[in-house]
Amino acid sequence: MFSELLSKKQDYSLTTREIEIFHLILKGLNNQEVADILQFSAHTVKNHVTNIFKKLIVTDRMNAMAKIYRIKYGEE
């Protein structure tokens, strides 16, 4: 469902890994928790999160979540 939302109106070009990480972030996990689950370093997760924010044209997690909400409800 999440990946379909991102391709609904605009191509944000998120990789499969970025979608996986963003899905975990939307569940409320911090970078270290995501890193522990995916067995990455927290630094690697931070790099992915930075790329996600750039692609979604947002600056933080709250704005990213708001963007997904707007995409879901057809406001973007």
Side-chain angles (χ1 to χ4, degrees):
M1 179 186 93
F2 176 72
S3 56
E4 292 89 27
L5 284 176
L6 290 175
S7 62
K8 185 176 180 183
K9 293 272 184 177
Q10 181 178 347
D11 180 15
Y12 293 103
S13 300
L14 294 181
T15 66
T16 302
R17 181 64 72 193
E18 289 167 344
I19 291 171
E20 181 180 21
I21 288 170
F22 195 35
H23 184 74
L24 293 170
I25 289 170
L26 289 174
K27 289 183 173 186
L29 279 65
N30 63 36
N31 288 358
Q32 186 59 59
E33 292 166 330
V34 172
D36 292 344
I37 289 171
L38 299 177
Q39 298 180 344
F40 291 158
S41 72
H43 181 73
T44 299
V45 172
K46 182 180 178 189
N47 287 338
H48 282 294
V49 170
T50 298
N51 290 334
I52 292 166
F53 290 172
K54 285 180 185 176
K55 290 178 180 182
L56 293 178
I57 312 168
V58 298
T59 56
D60 59 32
R61 291 168 192 252
M62 187 61 74
N63 285 324
M65 287 187 257
K67 184 144 199 168
I68 295 303
Y69 178 87
R70 289 191 308 271
I71 292 167
K72 181 176 180 178
Y73 291 102
E75 297 174 17
E76 201 161 305

